[in-house]
Amino acid sequence: MAKEFKVGANAKLSTIKNRFSEIFPYLTLNFYNLSEVETLDNKAKELIPFDGSLKIRDVRTKKNTDEFIVVGQTKVGTIERRFVEDYGLFVQVCVQHESGQEYHTPDEFDDYTLSKLNSEMASREGFEPYVYK
């Protein structure tokens, strides 16, 4: 299995999430409406991710036909920033606790590579993979 994949406007969100978690089993991506995030009050409702059956082109706010490649050496902050810059989508790298609760990774992990963060979560007690082998 290749340890990289391309992201483009025709990709389904669920396909991106699944491919991402196949490569980085302890991580996933959640996609959100950027304008909703920008206007979110800390006391406001919880953010609801976009439906996975949608394609990037269906939910983007920036038109872009370029693709970018995600690899293990891609930094957490870079992938999140690329989705904002290229497609106008707010994306968060997330981890799953054994309780089933999902958490956005805090800013302190933005300089971690995806491979390093995946290894970090695998070594921590209480975190579960998204892909079960």
Side-chain angles (χ1 to χ4, degrees):
M1 167 174 51
K3 295 290 184 183
E4 66 179 43
F5 68 100
K6 290 181 184 178
V7 174
N10 289 321
K12 279 175 70 172
L13 302 180
S14 62
T15 302
I16 295 169
K17 284 178 63 84
N18 290 338
R19 186 71 180 115
F20 186 83
S21 294
E22 286 173 3
I23 297 171
F24 312 106
Y26 283 83
L27 310 176
T28 197
L29 295 173
N30 283 337
F31 300 85
Y32 302 94
N33 182 312
L34 181 61
S35 61
E36 185 178 315
V37 171
E38 290 173 339
T39 60
L40 186 66
D41 178 336
N42 287 337
K43 299 173 188 161
K45 64 181 172 122
E46 180 180 332
L47 284 174
I48 306 296
F50 281 120
D51 182 306
S53 67
L54 298 169
K55 293 184 177 186
I56 287 179
R57 70 173 183 233
D58 300 328
V59 295
R60 67 185 176 191
T61 59
K62 291 183 180 179
K63 192 167 187 172
N64 184 353
T65 57
D66 293 341
E67 294 180 325
F68 65 90
I69 297 175
V70 177
V71 298
Q73 294 306 309
T74 303
K75 291 187 177 183
V76 171
T78 300
I79 191 169
E80 293 174 347
R81 187 184 75 253
R82 284 295 304 265
F83 275 101
V84 170
E85 291 174 356
D86 291 4
Y87 303 112
L89 285 174
F90 184 75
V91 173
Q92 285 289 288
V93 175
C94 299
V95 297
Q96 178 175 256
H97 191 264
E98 65 188 356
S99 67
Q101 179 68 36
E102 192 168 75
Y103 297 98
H104 295 164
T105 54
D107 291 344
E108 67 191 64
F109 291 118
D110 281 358
D111 283 333
Y112 278 46
T113 66
L114 295 170
S115 292
K116 180 178 177 181
L117 181 59
N118 189 69
S119 294
E120 173 79 18
M121 293 300 112
S123 70
R124 288 189 181 188
E125 205 169 308
F127 286 90
E128 295 290 328
Y130 286 91
V131 176
Y132 299 94
K133 297 183 180 191

